[in-house]
């Protein structure tokens, strides 16, 4: 998912589309789902839920892929 983090403006749309596509699948790998939710939560800076799983944003993101970082350093 590192390549997604570089395209900050499209990141939320891409991750939300991935979650919608996953809804149509019979089984989704839980670690994949957690990774998508974690990336989206960290980017948005708020808790994100998709059905039962909910993930809080990480506080210290080493690569700076957050909405605030995008505002400070637009691509």
């Amino acid at each position: 998912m590192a390549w997604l983090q570089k395209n900050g403006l499209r990141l939320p749309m891409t991750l939300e589309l991935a979650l919608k596509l996953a809804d149509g699948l019979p089984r989704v790998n839980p670690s994949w789902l957690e990774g998508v939710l974690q990336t989206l939560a960290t980017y948005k800076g708020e808790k994100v839920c998709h059905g039962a799983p909910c993930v809080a944003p990480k506080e210290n993101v080493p690569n700076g892929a957050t909405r605030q970082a995008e505002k400070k350093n637009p691509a």
Side-chain angles (χ1 to χ4, degrees):
M1 278 201 220
W3 68 272
L4 284 175
Q5 293 174 344
K6 293 179 184 174
N7 296 313
L9 296 176
R10 290 178 272 179
L11 179 68
M13 283 187 348
T14 304
L15 294 173
E16 288 167 359
L17 177 61
L19 292 172
K20 286 180 185 178
L21 292 171
D23 283 342
L25 299 174
R27 290 179 50 201
V28 176
N29 182 326
S31 64
W32 176 85
L33 180 58
E34 183 179 334
V36 171
L37 290 174
Q38 184 66 68
T39 302
L40 186 57
T42 300
Y43 182 81
K44 287 183 163 186
E46 61 190 39
K47 183 177 176 181
V48 174
C49 297
H50 185 74
C54 290
V55 177
K58 288 185 178 178
E59 293 298 320
N60 297 321
V61 181
N63 64 1
T66 64
R67 182 180 293 179
Q68 291 75 23
E70 280 293 318
K71 288 178 182 176
K72 290 178 186 175
N73 300 309

